[in-house]
Amino acid sequence: MFLQVTIGCLALLVVGSALEEHPHFCIDTEPLLLSEIDRHVVIPTERDLQCHIKATTLTLKEKASLVDTLCADHGSTTVRRDNHHFLRLRNGELSGRGSQSDICDNNASSVLSWVPYDTVLKYYAPELNPKERLTYIAKATNVEREKTELCHFRHTDLVNAVSDNLFTCVVMIFGDNFYGLEDNINVLVELEPLMHQLRNITYLPWRNVTNSYKMQLGESMLRNAGSEKKPIYGSINYAFVEKIHLNVSSVYQDRHLARLPLLLEHRSSVLQLDENGVGGIDVEEKAYFGRSMDPRSEVKVQVIGQWVDQHRQFSADIYEYYGHGLKRYRQPMSGGQVTFVRIDNTEPVFSAPESNNLVKASLFRDSKASKLKDGSTGNFTEWENTQEDPDDEESGFYGWFVVTSLLVAFVVVLGIYVIIRRQHRKNGQRQQYNLANTNVPAPA
């Protein structure tokens, strides 16, 4: 199965290449507990060593507390007047910043996460403008007091890498409480989706098929080595590239849906399409065939298939994909249109039966069959064998017999004719002689 715009700082390759996810960026969906934070001896796993940047998503309880703290009226005009900020990350790269009002407007519906302060200081602070006067939302955890609170720290502390004795993270509601770098500080970030994923696809009954040219998929040989006529079956494995063209405008009908590259769930895998909705997938299939065959015979088989364009309509669920296996349901869609260019209508083509074993019942000499077994490498049929054998003396006997019989019959008929003609002449002369003697007078 189954995928492939550079946006801001995102290094995402499309058109023929797979989605390149940041190799050192990881997303966790389970937060650390206070007891885990307090561990002094931690054995890092292979994944921990690889993940230089680790974002941990907020739980539902944390989101509710965040919205309540930032957006609810707690009787403090200071909090309501403040507009703190957060960082936006896409594929582990800094893509922009958002404000407190953005969270309140969408009720924290985006994917919010925590990133450790030292990670933000190392990877993202150099990209920020030191002259800006902003504050960023964070949370501070004090293990000794077993307490976690929302706070905010200054932009200048981040870009100037202020040391821990000068760094302060001021608690949101009670502005006289402070946390330092000796506490566990995590910065609020928003993760942006990399792609939209189409899953749970249901194809509608409507389907339009356009037939194209045929091609050879493979060839094989069927052999019947037995002494009886019977059906013989075989199969051929063949491979082709199935091309997919998704009508992108049929997916992005909702103007509120950001236009991102698409992942399509197809053939039990997830296929990456480019920004035009075009992609492909390697497909391996098997074609079965068979026929009834004479004893001790064989036949060559070629399997051909026809290219077809299948135009389909479908409905699906749209998911937002954030990388490293994290996806989130966004909304349903209907009226999608996709065209599959694939091989269909496979069929076998049998060549003329060939054999190198002619022991079966025949009117022709067995010596010919043995010669075919011993040394002949060509392809012969029984008719060709009778025509191309110059050493077969009996092949012309019947013709000579007929000619000789005709000649003998002709000679016999001719002899009979001559004998009858001679006999007829003798009888004629005898009659003339008897008539001549009738004038002689009778003796006295």
Side-chain angles (χ1 to χ4, degrees):
M1 11 60 149
F2 315 17
L3 306 172
Q4 312 146 334
V5 128
T6 300
I7 305 176
C9 301
L10 173 63
L12 181 62
L13 300 181
V14 296
V15 188
S17 61
L19 169 65
E20 292 187 356
E21 299 181 3
H22 197 299
H24 303 303
F25 174 63
C26 300
I27 303 174
D28 283 344
T29 56
E30 297 181 1
L32 291 175
L33 302 177
L34 284 172
S35 59
E36 295 175 323
I37 297 174
D38 193 29
R39 291 177 184 171
H40 300 287
V41 180
V42 177
I43 301 176
T45 63
E46 182 178 350
R47 181 178 182 273
D48 294 331
L49 295 175
Q50 177 185 345
C51 298
H52 302 161
I53 304 172
K54 182 183 292 186
T56 305
T57 58
L58 273 69
T59 64
L60 294 177
K61 185 177 179 179
E62 283 181 314
K63 275 195 174 185
S65 175
L66 181 70
V67 172
D68 180 69
T69 302
L70 296 180
C71 309
D73 186 359
H74 298 279
S76 173
T77 58
T78 304
V79 175
R80 295 175 61 185
R81 190 169 59 248
D82 289 338
N83 192 16
H84 308 295
H85 290 75
F86 56 88
L87 303 177
R88 285 193 172 104
L89 302 182
R90 183 185 291 118
N91 201 28
E93 302 288 345
L94 182 62
S95 61
R97 289 172 294 188
S99 64
Q100 176 179 335
S101 58
D102 297 334
I103 296 177
C104 296
D105 291 342
N106 62 25
N107 199 31
S109 61
S110 57
V111 176
L112 300 176
S113 302
W114 301 113
V115 175
Y117 178 84
D118 56 349
T119 302
V120 176
L121 180 65
K122 180 179 180 180
Y123 291 100
Y124 305 124
E127 301 183 34
L128 301 175
N129 184 359
K131 297 181 180 182
E132 290 183 312
R133 296 294 181 263
L134 302 173
T135 55
Y136 295 101
I137 304 170
K139 73 171 181 177
T141 302
N142 188 298
V143 177
E144 294 179 356
R145 292 186 293 168
E146 297 184 352
K147 190 174 183 179
T148 298
E149 293 182 284
L150 287 175
C151 60
H152 60 87
F153 63 90
R154 292 175 295 182
H155 173 88
T156 53
D157 289 358
L158 179 63
V159 297
N160 295 324
V162 174
S163 59
D164 55 353
N165 61 337
L166 296 176
F167 175 87
T168 58
C169 194
V170 183
V171 177
M172 286 286 186
I173 298 178
F174 307 104
D176 54 347
N177 292 343
F178 306 95
Y179 287 88
L181 288 181
E182 70 276 4
D183 299 304
N184 186 29
I185 306 296
N186 285 273
V187 184
L188 183 69
V189 300
E190 180 185 84
L191 302 182
E192 295 184 339
L194 310 181
M195 289 187 165
H196 284 129
Q197 193 172 114
L198 302 180
R199 301 183 69 92
N200 305 325
I201 297 177
T202 302
Y203 291 102
L204 303 183
W206 174 83
R207 171 179 170 181
N208 184 19
V209 177
T210 304
N211 294 325
S212 183
Y213 59 91
K214 294 183 178 181
M215 65 176 295
Q216 180 179 338
L217 305 176
E219 61 181 18
S220 181
M221 180 79 74
L222 288 178
R223 293 182 175 89
N224 181 11
S227 59
E228 297 180 357
K229 183 176 182 179
K230 61 182 178 180
I232 304 296
Y233 300 95
S235 64
I236 283 182
N237 295 319
Y238 63 96
F240 64 96
V241 178
E242 181 182 31
K243 295 180 175 57
I244 299 173
H245 189 183
L246 180 66
N247 187 341
V248 178
S249 61
S250 67
V251 176
Y252 293 118
Q253 303 173 26
D254 189 347
R255 295 183 180 179
H256 300 288
L257 197 64
R259 194 180 182 98
L260 296 176
L262 293 168
L263 301 174
L264 178 67
E265 190 178 45
H266 181 59
R267 288 184 180 269
S268 302
S269 61
V270 179
L271 175 65
Q272 181 172 347
L273 308 178
D274 62 17
E275 68 273 16
N276 297 319
V278 177
I281 184 172
D282 294 332
V283 178
E284 293 185 0
E285 298 284 2
K286 179 177 287 188
Y288 294 91
F289 50 87
R291 64 172 290 167
S292 180
M293 295 185 61
D294 293 332
R296 299 183 180 90
S297 64
E298 61 186 28
V299 62
K300 289 183 178 180
V301 185
Q302 289 183 345
V303 175
I304 63 174
Q306 188 171 30
W307 283 102
V308 296
D309 298 348
Q310 295 182 351
H311 311 283
R312 307 293 299 270
Q313 286 186 346
F314 67 94
S315 59
D317 293 329
I318 299 180
Y319 284 78
E320 293 174 326
Y321 182 71
Y322 294 88
H324 300 279
L326 180 63
K327 61 181 180 294
R328 187 181 69 158
Y329 176 76
R330 175 61 186 266
Q331 65 185 48
M333 66 152 288
S334 60
Q337 298 178 5
V338 64
T339 299
F340 299 104
V341 182
R342 55 171 58 144
I343 293 290
D344 201 2
N345 301 327
T346 57
E347 57 180 315
V349 177
F350 301 99
S351 62
E354 299 176 359
S355 178
N356 56 5
N357 189 351
L358 301 179
V359 179
K360 59 184 180 180
S362 172
L363 295 175
F364 308 113
R365 292 173 52 190
D366 292 338
S367 60
K368 184 60 183 180
S370 61
K371 185 169 67 174
L372 283 175
K373 288 184 191 177
D374 297 336
S376 178
T377 58
N379 295 329
F380 296 93
T381 64
E382 294 180 350
W383 174 252
E384 291 171 343
N385 293 339
T386 60
Q387 298 297 320
E388 297 178 1
D389 188 0
D391 300 328
D392 192 351
E393 297 178 357
E394 294 181 3
S395 62
F397 172 77
Y398 180 75
W400 286 110
F401 174 78
V402 172
V403 172
T404 304
S405 298
L406 292 175
L407 290 176
V408 172
F410 176 76
V411 171
V412 171
V413 172
L414 182 62
I416 294 174
Y417 174 77
V418 172
I419 293 174
I420 294 175
R421 185 175 178 81
R422 287 180 179 178
Q423 187 66 29
H424 181 70
R425 286 180 178 177
K426 287 181 180 181
N427 293 333
Q429 291 177 356
R430 186 175 300 163
Q431 290 177 359
Q432 291 177 0
Y433 178 79
N434 293 330
L435 290 174
N437 291 333
T438 56
N439 297 323
V440 179

mmCIF file of all heavy atoms in Angstrom, residues 133-155:
data_model
loop_
_atom_site.group_PDB
_atom_site.id
_atom_site.type_symbol
_atom_site.label_atom_id
_atom_site.label_comp_id
_atom_site.label_asym_id
_atom_site.label_seq_id
_atom_site.Cartn_x
_atom_site.Cartn_y
_atom_site.Cartn_z
ATOM 1 N N ARG A 133 9.338 41.569 21.656
ATOM 2 C CA ARG A 133 8.926 41.610 23.053
ATOM 3 C C ARG A 133 7.655 40.791 23.222
ATOM 4 O O ARG A 133 6.540 41.310 23.183
ATOM 5 C CB ARG A 133 8.705 43.071 23.504
ATOM 6 C CG ARG A 133 9.941 43.925 23.486
ATOM 7 C CD ARG A 133 10.939 43.418 24.543
ATOM 8 N NE ARG A 133 12.154 44.244 24.565
ATOM 9 C CZ ARG A 133 13.271 43.925 23.922
ATOM 10 N NH1 ARG A 133 13.320 42.820 23.203
ATOM 11 N NH2 ARG A 133 14.330 44.705 24.006
ATOM 12 N N LEU A 134 7.844 39.509 23.392
ATOM 13 C CA LEU A 134 6.712 38.597 23.519
ATOM 14 C C LEU A 134 6.892 37.750 24.776
ATOM 15 O O LEU A 134 7.956 37.751 25.407
ATOM 16 C CB LEU A 134 6.609 37.679 22.290
ATOM 17 C CG LEU A 134 6.464 38.343 20.910
ATOM 18 C CD1 LEU A 134 6.552 37.293 19.820
ATOM 19 C CD2 LEU A 134 5.173 39.122 20.818
ATOM 20 N N THR A 135 5.853 37.021 25.095
ATOM 21 C CA THR A 135 5.927 36.024 26.156
ATOM 22 C C THR A 135 5.346 34.722 25.650
ATOM 23 O O THR A 135 4.456 34.717 24.790
ATOM 24 C CB THR A 135 5.132 36.483 27.403
ATOM 25 O OG1 THR A 135 3.791 36.789 27.019
ATOM 26 C CG2 THR A 135 5.775 37.691 28.054
ATOM 27 N N TYR A 136 5.853 33.617 26.186
ATOM 28 C CA TYR A 136 5.448 32.305 25.704
ATOM 29 C C TYR A 136 4.822 31.493 26.831
ATOM 30 O O TYR A 136 5.225 31.592 27.995
ATOM 31 C CB TYR A 136 6.651 31.545 25.130
ATOM 32 C CG TYR A 136 7.222 32.194 23.894
ATOM 33 C CD1 TYR A 136 8.381 32.973 23.971
ATOM 34 C CD2 TYR A 136 6.598 32.062 22.665
ATOM 35 C CE1 TYR A 136 8.908 33.577 22.842
ATOM 36 C CE2 TYR A 136 7.116 32.656 21.527
ATOM 37 C CZ TYR A 136 8.263 33.421 21.631
ATOM 38 O OH TYR A 136 8.769 34.032 20.509
ATOM 39 N N ILE A 137 3.834 30.681 26.453
ATOM 40 C CA ILE A 137 3.109 29.859 27.410
ATOM 41 C C ILE A 137 3.919 28.601 27.704
ATOM 42 O O ILE A 137 4.472 27.967 26.801
ATOM 43 C CB ILE A 137 1.721 29.478 26.854
ATOM 44 C CG1 ILE A 137 0.933 30.735 26.471
ATOM 45 C CG2 ILE A 137 0.939 28.639 27.854
ATOM 46 C CD1 ILE A 137 -0.333 30.452 25.700
ATOM 47 N N ALA A 138 3.954 28.233 28.970
ATOM 48 C CA ALA A 138 4.684 27.040 29.388
ATOM 49 C C ALA A 138 3.981 26.432 30.597
ATOM 50 O O ALA A 138 2.993 26.967 31.104
ATOM 51 C CB ALA A 138 6.136 27.382 29.710
ATOM 52 N N LYS A 139 4.502 25.316 31.048
ATOM 53 C CA LYS A 139 4.045 24.739 32.315
ATOM 54 C C LYS A 139 5.288 24.395 33.135
ATOM 55 O O LYS A 139 6.331 23.995 32.596
ATOM 56 C CB LYS A 139 3.178 23.502 32.107
ATOM 57 C CG LYS A 139 3.915 22.261 31.667
ATOM 58 C CD LYS A 139 3.014 21.026 31.706
ATOM 59 C CE LYS A 139 3.778 19.785 31.275
ATOM 60 N NZ LYS A 139 2.956 18.565 31.367
ATOM 61 N N ALA A 140 5.166 24.590 34.425
ATOM 62 C CA ALA A 140 6.285 24.322 35.323
ATOM 63 C C ALA A 140 5.866 23.249 36.318
ATOM 64 O O ALA A 140 4.761 23.294 36.870
ATOM 65 C CB ALA A 140 6.700 25.596 36.046
ATOM 66 N N THR A 141 6.721 22.286 36.527
ATOM 67 C CA THR A 141 6.446 21.196 37.453
ATOM 68 C C THR A 141 7.498 21.191 38.559
ATOM 69 O O THR A 141 8.703 21.075 38.274
ATOM 70 C CB THR A 141 6.454 19.843 36.718
ATOM 71 O OG1 THR A 141 5.492 19.868 35.678
ATOM 72 C CG2 THR A 141 6.137 18.707 37.673
ATOM 73 N N ASN A 142 7.058 21.328 39.770
ATOM 74 C CA ASN A 142 7.939 21.260 40.923
ATOM 75 C C ASN A 142 7.702 19.918 41.603
ATOM 76 O O ASN A 142 6.625 19.671 42.161
ATOM 77 C CB ASN A 142 7.649 22.414 41.888
ATOM 78 C CG ASN A 142 8.661 22.501 42.999
ATOM 79 O OD1 ASN A 142 8.788 21.585 43.793
ATOM 80 N ND2 ASN A 142 9.358 23.632 43.066
ATOM 81 N N VAL A 143 8.693 19.063 41.527
ATOM 82 C CA VAL A 143 8.534 17.701 42.032
ATOM 83 C C VAL A 143 8.404 17.700 43.545
ATOM 84 O O VAL A 143 7.634 16.914 44.118
ATOM 85 C CB VAL A 143 9.719 16.826 41.580
ATOM 86 C CG1 VAL A 143 9.591 15.420 42.158
ATOM 87 C CG2 VAL A 143 9.779 16.767 40.071
ATOM 88 N N GLU A 144 9.135 18.577 44.207
ATOM 89 C CA GLU A 144 9.098 18.598 45.672
ATOM 90 C C GLU A 144 7.702 18.957 46.184
ATOM 91 O O GLU A 144 7.212 18.389 47.158
ATOM 92 C CB GLU A 144 10.124 19.584 46.204
ATOM 93 C CG GLU A 144 11.562 19.169 45.914
ATOM 94 C CD GLU A 144 12.555 20.182 46.442
ATOM 95 O OE1 GLU A 144 12.093 21.244 46.960
ATOM 96 O OE2 GLU A 144 13.763 19.941 46.330
ATOM 97 N N ARG A 145 7.066 19.893 45.523
ATOM 98 C CA ARG A 145 5.713 20.284 45.936
ATOM 99 C C ARG A 145 4.637 19.465 45.224
ATOM 100 O O ARG A 145 3.441 19.667 45.466
ATOM 101 C CB ARG A 145 5.485 21.780 45.665
ATOM 102 C CG ARG A 145 6.321 22.701 46.539
ATOM 103 C CD ARG A 145 5.934 24.150 46.307
ATOM 104 N NE ARG A 145 6.282 24.604 44.970
ATOM 105 C CZ ARG A 145 5.841 25.757 44.439
ATOM 106 N NH1 ARG A 145 4.999 26.518 45.133
ATOM 107 N NH2 ARG A 145 6.209 26.115 43.241
ATOM 108 N N GLU A 146 5.087 18.577 44.325
ATOM 109 C CA GLU A 146 4.163 17.748 43.556
ATOM 110 C C GLU A 146 3.070 18.605 42.916
ATOM 111 O O GLU A 146 1.879 18.332 43.058
ATOM 112 C CB GLU A 146 3.535 16.648 44.430
ATOM 113 C CG GLU A 146 4.538 15.651 44.971
ATOM 114 C CD GLU A 146 3.880 14.539 45.744
ATOM 115 O OE1 GLU A 146 2.651 14.642 45.985
ATOM 116 O OE2 GLU A 146 4.561 13.571 46.096
ATOM 117 N N LYS A 147 3.504 19.636 42.204
ATOM 118 C CA LYS A 147 2.564 20.602 41.650
ATOM 119 C C LYS A 147 3.001 21.021 40.255
ATOM 120 O O LYS A 147 4.197 21.189 39.998
ATOM 121 C CB LYS A 147 2.479 21.827 42.563
ATOM 122 C CG LYS A 147 1.363 22.796 42.228
ATOM 123 C CD LYS A 147 1.270 23.890 43.278
ATOM 124 C CE LYS A 147 0.098 24.818 42.987
ATOM 125 N NZ LYS A 147 -0.023 25.895 44.021
ATOM 126 N N THR A 148 2.020 21.171 39.375
ATOM 127 C CA THR A 148 2.257 21.669 38.022
ATOM 128 C C THR A 148 1.324 22.842 37.768
ATOM 129 O O THR A 148 0.117 22.744 38.014
ATOM 130 C CB THR A 148 2.011 20.571 36.973
ATOM 131 O OG1 THR A 148 2.921 19.507 37.198
ATOM 132 C CG2 THR A 148 2.217 21.102 35.562
ATOM 133 N N GLU A 149 1.872 23.952 37.247
ATOM 134 C CA GLU A 149 1.078 25.152 36.985
ATOM 135 C C GLU A 149 1.446 25.741 35.626
ATOM 136 O O GLU A 149 2.585 25.595 35.156
ATOM 137 C CB GLU A 149 1.315 26.214 38.073
ATOM 138 C CG GLU A 149 0.813 25.829 39.437
ATOM 139 C CD GLU A 149 1.022 26.930 40.450
ATOM 140 O OE1 GLU A 149 2.171 27.120 40.898
ATOM 141 O OE2 GLU A 149 0.027 27.621 40.779
ATOM 142 N N LEU A 150 0.461 26.401 35.007
ATOM 143 C CA LEU A 150 0.724 27.137 33.777
ATOM 144 C C LEU A 150 1.436 28.440 34.112
ATOM 145 O O LEU A 150 1.078 29.126 35.073
ATOM 146 C CB LEU A 150 -0.580 27.440 33.040
ATOM 147 C CG LEU A 150 -1.273 26.262 32.352
ATOM 148 C CD1 LEU A 150 -2.616 26.707 31.778
ATOM 149 C CD2 LEU A 150 -0.399 25.689 31.251
ATOM 150 N N CYS A 151 2.423 28.777 33.281
ATOM 151 C CA CYS A 151 3.161 30.017 33.491
ATOM 152 C C CYS A 151 3.578 30.585 32.150
ATOM 153 O O CYS A 151 3.318 29.973 31.093
ATOM 154 C CB CYS A 151 4.383 29.768 34.376
ATOM 155 S SG CYS A 151 5.570 28.578 33.674
ATOM 156 N N HIS A 152 4.227 31.736 32.178
ATOM 157 C CA HIS A 152 4.728 32.344 30.943
ATOM 158 C C HIS A 152 6.100 32.939 31.210
ATOM 159 O O HIS A 152 6.392 33.414 32.309
ATOM 160 C CB HIS A 152 3.748 33.402 30.414
ATOM 161 C CG HIS A 152 3.496 34.519 31.362
ATOM 162 N ND1 HIS A 152 4.292 35.650 31.433
ATOM 163 C CD2 HIS A 152 2.515 34.695 32.295
ATOM 164 C CE1 HIS A 152 3.829 36.471 32.353
ATOM 165 N NE2 HIS A 152 2.734 35.918 32.897
ATOM 166 N N PHE A 153 6.958 32.881 30.196
ATOM 167 C CA PHE A 153 8.310 33.431 30.330
ATOM 168 C C PHE A 153 8.576 34.380 29.169
ATOM 169 O O PHE A 153 7.874 34.367 28.152
ATOM 170 C CB PHE A 153 9.357 32.314 30.375
ATOM 171 C CG PHE A 153 9.428 31.475 29.129
ATOM 172 C CD1 PHE A 153 10.277 31.819 28.085
ATOM 173 C CD2 PHE A 153 8.632 30.338 28.981
ATOM 174 C CE1 PHE A 153 10.337 31.059 26.938
ATOM 175 C CE2 PHE A 153 8.686 29.570 27.838
ATOM 176 C CZ PHE A 153 9.536 29.932 26.803
ATOM 177 N N ARG A 154 9.623 35.195 29.310
ATOM 178 C CA ARG A 154 9.895 36.253 28.333
ATOM 179 C C ARG A 154 10.645 35.725 27.115
ATOM 180 O O ARG A 154 11.463 34.806 27.216
ATOM 181 C CB ARG A 154 10.717 37.362 28.997
ATOM 182 C CG ARG A 154 9.955 38.146 30.059
ATOM 183 C CD ARG A 154 10.852 39.134 30.755
ATOM 184 N NE ARG A 154 11.907 38.442 31.507
ATOM 185 C CZ ARG A 154 12.823 39.077 32.246
ATOM 186 N NH1 ARG A 154 12.803 40.401 32.325
ATOM 187 N NH2 ARG A 154 13.746 38.391 32.893
ATOM 188 N N HIS A 155 10.363 36.351 25.996
ATOM 189 C CA HIS A 155 11.030 36.038 24.723
ATOM 190 C C HIS A 155 12.532 36.286 24.839
ATOM 191 O O HIS A 155 13.344 35.497 24.322
ATOM 192 C CB HIS A 155 10.412 36.903 23.611
ATOM 193 C CG HIS A 155 11.100 36.800 22.289
ATOM 194 N ND1 HIS A 155 10.787 35.847 21.346
ATOM 195 C CD2 HIS A 155 12.117 37.537 21.738
ATOM 196 C CE1 HIS A 155 11.548 35.997 20.277
ATOM 197 N NE2 HIS A 155 12.365 37.024 20.486
#
